[in-house]
Amino acid sequence: MGEQPIYTTRAHVFQIDPTTKKNWVPASKQAVTVSYFYDSTRNSYRIISVDGSKVIINSTITPNMTFTKTSQKFGQWADSRANTVFGLGFASEQQLAKFSEKFQEVKDAAKIARESQEKVETMSNHSQESGRETPSSNQASSLNGTDDEKIFHVGPEAAVLKTENERLKSAVEQSNTNAKKWETELQTLRENNARLVDALQESSANVESWKKQLSACKEESDTLREKIAELEAQCNEANQEKQKNAQLSVRLQELETELQEKEQELENLRKQAEIIPKLMAECESITAKLQTAETKNKELEGRIGGLQLDINDSQHKQGNMKNELKKFMDSLDGKIDELHELRQGLSKLGVDN
């Protein structure tokens, strides 16, 4: 089956700055898929993340690795093989906790796989050593004499070999049990993977169906929008026609009102036309009276001219009288001054006397 994904999540990927070993450098511009993979042939686990066509995480998990939560939504682990430190920023605390739990599970599984592999290697080495030692001991016992001597000399080594064989058998049985366990888990993982593949295919089919339905809905929506646009255009035309009709109705009412006013004016003119002869007679009478008044006005103008001449003569006479009166007043003032001086002279004479 090769490598199969056993857990997948999304996170922002970071790597430690190789120069400063302190600052984080973003390895992805946005959240990307981060997955745990299990390789059944090598019995190993890896964390893999790909951004487009670029592999940004390829870390094989070993029992010595430790995933550390540095904040509520950020965690990191060191990979000595890649000579770097990876950091993951999650959208929620739950995602970080789930990833950390999965890291511990995979780490324990990798530890068990390594221990079982070491046991198998140890057992194979012991079996090879025992296989090499048994013929030599048999040869030594056969060369040493009779059957009793053989039993005497071979007994302790046979007991050790029997104990070792029993221990090897139990180890092989344990390894077979572990192998069966791993085969069962592998079969479970294969079944889960098959179900996931089926679910993925079904979801892909559903996505294709949804895409078709979405495209059909979009086409129907575009058609409905076009119809709505046409109906709106028709409604606008109908509204324009209604407005025109309303304007025409208002104009018609205005024309009817004007027509009524014109008819009223015409009726008034007719009535006035009936009065015209009377007005003509009155006009002639007024004209005669006007002529008489003009004649009288001319006579009054003549009289006014005579009166104006009289007024001018009287004004001239009045001016002459004013001049004579002024002269008289001046002479009277002189006489009064002389009389005043005469009184002063008389008063002095009276004082002297």
Side-chain angles (χ1 to χ4, degrees):
M1 294 293 292
E3 281 188 316
Q4 299 295 331
I6 58 176
Y7 178 76
T8 300
T9 185
R10 291 184 67 83
H12 291 271
V13 180
F14 299 86
Q15 288 186 6
I16 202 72
D17 192 350
T19 57
T20 62
K21 299 294 183 180
K22 294 181 179 180
N23 300 325
W24 288 107
V25 178
S28 61
K29 297 181 180 179
Q30 57 187 358
V32 295
T33 302
V34 181
S35 303
Y36 286 95
F37 279 83
Y38 172 67
D39 190 349
S40 59
T41 57
R42 297 181 181 179
N43 198 15
S44 62
Y45 296 87
R46 288 197 300 169
I47 299 176
I48 297 176
S49 179
V50 179
D51 186 8
S53 60
K54 179 183 177 183
V55 178
I56 55 180
I57 298 178
N58 185 7
S59 177
T60 302
I61 299 175
T62 63
N64 298 326
M65 287 185 177
T66 302
F67 185 81
T68 305
K69 297 179 183 178
T70 58
S71 66
Q72 294 181 349
K73 299 180 181 180
F74 192 86
Q76 66 183 43
W77 77 96
D79 190 345
S80 58
R81 294 182 180 179
N83 193 20
T84 186
V85 179
F86 294 102
L88 296 179
F90 296 90
S92 64
E93 297 179 15
Q94 292 78 8
Q95 292 181 354
L96 175 58
K98 184 66 176 176
F99 188 89
S100 178
E101 292 174 1
K102 201 67 182 177
F103 192 96
Q104 187 63 35
E105 292 177 5
V106 172
K107 175 183 172 182
D108 295 340
K111 184 177 181 181
I112 293 170
R114 175 177 287 185
E115 290 176 354
S116 63
Q117 186 176 1
E118 289 176 354
K119 287 181 181 179
V120 171
E121 291 177 355
T122 303
M123 286 187 294
S124 63
N125 292 331
H126 282 300
S127 63
Q128 289 176 2
E129 289 175 359
S130 62
R132 286 195 300 270
E133 290 174 355
T134 301
S136 63
S137 62
N138 290 331
Q139 290 175 3
S141 61
S142 62
L143 291 172
N144 285 332
T146 63
D147 293 337
D148 295 335
E149 291 176 351
K150 289 177 184 179
I151 293 170
F152 177 76
H153 290 289
V154 176
E157 294 180 358
V160 172
L161 289 173
K162 185 177 181 180
T163 304
E164 184 68 23
N165 287 331
E166 289 177 354
R167 188 174 65 82
L168 290 173
K169 286 180 180 179
S170 62
V172 170
E173 289 176 356
Q174 183 67 28
S175 64
N176 290 331
T177 303
N178 291 331
K180 289 180 180 179
K181 179 181 176 181
W182 285 111
E183 287 178 358
T184 304
E185 292 183 359
L186 179 60
Q187 185 63 28
T188 304
L189 289 173
R190 287 175 179 175
E191 292 175 356
N192 292 333
N193 185 50
R195 286 196 294 270
L196 289 173
V197 170
D198 293 337
L200 181 61
Q201 292 176 354
E202 184 178 357
S203 63
S204 300
N206 292 331
V207 167
E208 293 296 330
S209 176
W210 292 338
K211 285 182 179 179
K212 292 179 181 179
Q213 292 178 3
L214 181 60
S215 61
C217 290
K218 285 183 178 179
E219 292 177 357
E220 187 176 358
S221 177
D222 294 336
T223 305
L224 291 174
R225 285 179 181 174
E226 292 177 356
K227 289 183 179 179
I228 289 170
E230 292 177 357
L231 291 174
E232 287 179 351
Q234 293 177 1
C235 290
N236 291 329
E237 292 178 357
N239 291 328
Q240 291 177 359
E241 292 295 331
K242 287 181 180 179
Q243 291 178 358
K244 289 181 180 179
N245 291 332
Q247 292 175 358
L248 291 173
S249 299
V250 172
R251 182 58 180 168
L252 182 60
Q253 291 178 357
E254 291 176 354
L255 292 173
E256 289 178 353
T257 304
E258 290 179 359
L259 181 60
Q260 291 177 358
E261 291 177 356
K262 296 296 182 182
E263 288 178 353
Q264 186 66 33
E265 289 179 0
L266 182 60
E267 185 66 24
N268 294 331
L269 290 173
R270 288 176 181 175
K271 291 179 180 179
Q272 290 177 3
E274 294 176 356
I275 303 172
I276 286 173
K278 296 179 180 179
L279 293 175
M280 291 295 292
E282 290 179 358
C283 185
E284 290 176 357
S285 175
I286 290 169
T287 302
K289 290 178 180 180
L290 182 60
Q291 289 176 356
T292 304
E294 288 178 353
T295 303
K296 289 181 179 180
N297 189 19
K298 288 179 180 180
E299 291 177 356
L300 291 172
E301 286 178 356
R303 291 180 181 178
I304 289 170
L307 292 173
Q308 188 68 36
L309 292 174
D310 293 339
I311 289 169
N312 292 331
D313 292 337
S314 63
Q315 287 178 353
H316 182 68
K317 290 178 180 180
Q318 188 176 4
N320 292 330
M321 290 177 67
K322 285 181 179 180
N323 292 327
E324 291 177 358
L325 182 60
K326 186 175 181 182
K327 290 177 181 180
F328 176 73
M329 291 297 291
D330 292 335
S331 63
L332 181 61
D333 290 334
K335 296 295 183 183
I336 290 171
D337 292 334
E338 290 176 359
L339 182 58
H340 183 66
E341 290 175 359
L342 180 60
R343 284 181 179 177
Q344 289 180 353
L346 289 175
S347 62
K348 289 180 181 180
L349 287 175
V351 171
D352 292 337
N353 290 330

